Structure formats: C-alpha cells, structure tokens
Amino acid sequence: MNFSRSDFPKGFLFGAATSSYQIEGHGFGGAGSTMWDTFAATPGNVVRGENGALACDHYHRFEEDFDLMQAAGFDCYRFSTSWARVMPEGRGAINQEGLDYYDRLVDAMLERDLKPCATLYHWELPSPLADMGGWQNRDIAGWFGDFTEVIMGRIGDRMFSAAPINEPWCVGWLSHFLGHHAPGLRDIRATAHAMHHVLLAHGTAIERMRGLGMTNLGAVCNFEYAEPYDQSPESLKSAKLYDGYYNRFFMGGIFRKEYPQIVMDGLAPHMPKGWQDDFDVIGAPVDWAGINYYTRKIMQPNDGPWPSHEEAEGPLAKTFMDWEIYPEGLYEFITRTHREYTKGLPIYVTENGMASNDHLIDGAVEDAARIDYLNQHVAMAKRAADEGVPLEGYFMWSLLDNYEWALGYEKRFGLVHVDFETLQRTPKASYHALKLAFAR
Ligand code: FCB
C-alpha cells in the first residue's frame, strides 16, 4: 500500500466489515426463514439462484477468520446480527442458540483485541414480518425496537459501537422501487413507506439502546456521487434528484429532521399518514456517522414517470461490478457530511472496497487492482482528515469473499479469498499489503 498507519492520527481505527447473511451460513443454528431465502428461491432474482444457507460457514469458522484479522493488525470489526437467527419469527420466541452464538462471537473478537462494531440489521428480514408488509408496515419500528433490546440486552455491554440499520437507501429504494433486492417490489408507494419506516425504526432502535445504557451509537448510510450527463438544466436536475433520494433523504431525516424538497416533490403523495410528526424519533441524537462509498453515477433525463431520469454509461475504469472508480466522491461525501450534517461528530468510512475477478493460482491471489483501489480511496480519506474533518476510522469491505446478494458468489470483494467448495480461506495480496501498512 502507499499509506501506513503512521500517516493517520493516533487512535485512527482500521477495520474490516462483513454482514451476517453474507457470511454466516443461515442454515445453521436454528435461524428462521428470511426474505432473502425466498427471494433467492424465486427464479430470476439471484445469479444461479444462490442463497446464504452455507455462505462462508463463518458460523463454525469465526475463530479462524478472527485469527486472520488479528494477524493483519486490524483494530475493529464491523459485523451484523441476524434478526431471524435471534428471533426466528421476528417477534416473540427467542432462539437461545442464536443469542449464544453472538455471545461467543463477540468474546472471540475481544480475545483478539478487535473492537466489536455492530450493525443490527443488514437486510435479512424474518419472513413472518415480510408477510405482514415488512418495511411498508409502520409497526416494524416497534418490532425492530424489540429485537434491538433482545440482542443488545445480551451483547450490548461489549460493543465498541452500534448502528441500527445498514444503508437505508438499499432497504427503501433498491428493494421497493428498483426491485433488485428482496422483497423485489417496484412500487412508489411501497418505496415511500419503506424509506420513512426504515428511519423510524432507526430512531426507535437508538432510543432503545440508550435505554440499555449503550454509548457510541451511529447511523450508516450509503452514498453515490451523482454527476450530470451534461450541463443542461434537465441533466443538472436529474443529478440533483438522484443525490436527493440516494444521499440526502436519509441524512436529512436523521441529522436535520427534514426531507429534501426535491424528493418530496415526487414522494409526498405516497408517504404514510402523519410522517411529518415522526422526526423527533427519526432524529434521535447519534454519536457518529458512517459512510459507505463505492462509486458514482452519471444521470440523464428521460420521459418516464418521476423521477424521470436514468443512468448513462460512464467513461472511467470500472470494477467487476461494472462500477466506475471515482475516489474523489469519497472525499466529497466525507467533507459534505461534516459540513452540512454532522458538524463535528466523528465520521467513519464504514464500507469501501471493490469486486475483482480474482483467481487462486498456486496458492496466491494477486489482486493488484484492489490494492490500487484502496490506495486511491484511503488517500481521499486522508485528505479530508488532514483538512480537519473528524474522520476516526476506515473499514474495508470485505474481510471475506461472500454472498453478494442478487449477484450470488460470483462477485468477490474479500481481502481473503474463499473457495466456496472447500471453504478454505486464502489471504489475497491486498491482505498482505494491508498487514504491512498497519505495522508501519
Ligand atoms: C453494500 C452492502 C454490502 C455489500 C457491498 C458491496 O451496499 O452494504 O452488503 O453488498 O455493498
């Protein structure tokens, strides 16, 4: 790598991130059905129909995985808890085996000096709750609050940090408007309801965790830089609207207790009744913000219904996801978050990384492109930190190759290669390079 730990202020944290359904092996330990299991079981939704039943079998191999993290010199580990593993029906009965698993998991992190950074929900909604409308149902805020108390009642005493929900945009827009993720809906009313309820659930969980005496609670949103196709007023508006519903809607709700007008111009008629009265819950004070960042999009107008725009092909080099590599966007979002939303609170990059077409050859994976990608993005984070933004840590996505949602196991994001037949782990060149950087 072309950076080292000593380039950052003392105490700056380097971490790796994963999520429960993507690595654990949901088939183990008495977990209940989730909307990702049924989404994946429906033809056409997921590449090769793959699901998370086995994934990386982290459920049985977490000690080995944490040994690798410790050996590389990581400071912290961002993981998520599976609602259906802890409460198979989503409400009511508790699966003790699930709670015991997270208890062991957290202790195994602490034994290796890895700070546990929890995300309570990273997308695998228990099926019985999906049956009741899932994120479209306002009651989900209370159901999620109850789950929060159960899981954090058990492990909350040992968390370094906790955030309720990973990437509200994906929970709302990607899953209910674009239909690319479970539950695979394409409906503007479902979208407006889900986008609001996910924030209501976020705020409810923050309040419940405060009630448990927990500290260092945050929000993790994802961001894409919106570039207009050209300088026409229509293209400029397309990019501004994309920025609005992708980046500003959730930050606005949480940190300013308002939604951007440009988004409400389209969504207002579809919002749940009384949404204006929920901002005291949604805007419950948090202690930090997490930024997940991967790419940018070039937006141009079209003549379809609102939002009346579409993506255009961009000229930059792309990752194996076909995502343009645009490190400057990370700098923009770190500085903008500080300037316009968090105003002094600590900021973390909670996800950044790339998929590449990695191959295990003679026991090694030469992922030079990933090293380059990380170098470029860490440099942008450093630039923001050098300018005085309180950036306190950086998590790479991901520790392991894993279940990349609708794209199955084909897209490898790991610093550690996983052979999905034998489940053997092999650290890639990027892992070895990071290990050297962390030691310097
Ligand atoms: C993020 C998700 C994560 C992973 C990466 C590539 O949006 O949080 O689970 O899929 O993208």
Side-chain angles (χ1 to χ4, degrees), residues 108-138:
M109 293 173 213
L110 293 173
E111 278 162 23
R112 292 163 180 82
D113 283 331
L114 295 168
K115 292 181 174 22
C117 304
T119 304
L120 278 91
Y121 179 83
H122 198 127
W123 306 351
E124 68 274 46
L125 189 72
S127 297
L129 303 184
D131 296 341
M132 289 187 286
W135 291 104
Q136 296 173 75
N137 187 334
R138 182 182 174 87

Side-chain angles (χ1 to χ4, degrees), residues 16 35 55 75 164-165 168 178 196 276 279 284 335 370 424 431 437:
M35 67 177 176
D75 307 301
I165 287 163
L178 301 178
H196 183 67
Q276 296 91 339
F279 284 110
T335 51
R370 180 170 291 105
Q424 194 187 332
Y431 168 99

Side-chain angles (χ1 to χ4, degrees), residues 18-19 22 78 122-123 166-167 170 174 181 222 246 292 294 321 323 351 353 397-398 402-405 413:
T18 66
S19 90
Q22 292 178 277
R78 178 169 175 259
H122 198 127
W123 306 351
N166 180 66
E167 302 187 347
C170 291
L174 185 67
H181 277 190
N222 55 323
Y246 203 116
N292 293 359
Y294 293 93
M321 295 289 276
W323 293 347
E351 280 183 29
W397 183 274
S398 177
N402 60 43
Y403 180 64
E404 182 43 40
W405 306 112
F413 272 90

Side-chain angles (χ1 to χ4, degrees), residues 238-387:
S238 293
K240 192 169 178 216
L241 178 53
Y242 189 80
D243 187 45
Y245 65 71
Y246 203 116
N247 305 313
R248 292 191 181 275
F249 183 89
F250 305 98
M251 295 299 278
I254 294 169
F255 292 99
R256 299 162 73 133
K257 301 190 178 189
E258 63 182 23
Y259 294 144
Q261 188 52 47
I262 192 172
V263 182
M264 297 322 286
D265 289 347
L267 283 192
H270 310 290
M271 292 293 282
K273 278 204 185 70
W275 62 272
Q276 296 91 339
D277 302 329
D278 288 331
F279 284 110
D280 283 342
V281 178
I282 290 172
V286 293
D287 306 309
W288 54 270
I291 294 177
N292 293 359
Y293 176 79
Y294 293 93
T295 190
R296 73 164 186 183
K297 289 286 157 59
I298 300 188
M299 302 307 300
Q300 63 184 351
N302 69 16
D303 47 19
W306 188 92
S308 317
H309 63 192
E310 63 194 30
E311 293 170 17
E313 174 91 25
L316 302 178
K318 298 193 178 70
T319 72
F320 199 40
M321 295 289 276
D322 236 5
W323 293 347
E324 281 193 298
I325 300 175
Y326 186 63
E328 295 80 2
L330 180 58
Y331 170 81
E332 283 301 319
F333 286 122
I334 295 171
T335 51
R336 180 215 271 191
T337 295
H338 172 60
R339 203 171 52 237
E340 298 187 32
Y341 295 98
T342 54
K343 302 179 175 162
L345 292 178
I347 295 174
Y348 294 88
V349 175
T350 31
E351 280 183 29
N352 175 246
M354 72 173 279
S356 58
N357 192 5
D358 297 327
H359 295 286
L360 182 62
I361 299 167
D362 295 336
V365 180
E366 296 302 337
D367 57 340
R370 180 170 291 105
I371 293 176
D372 195 37
Y373 181 101
L374 291 173
N375 272 334
Q376 292 186 54
H377 286 79
V378 170
M380 289 295 157
K382 180 169 156 45
R383 182 174 154 204
D386 287 348
E387 288 173 10

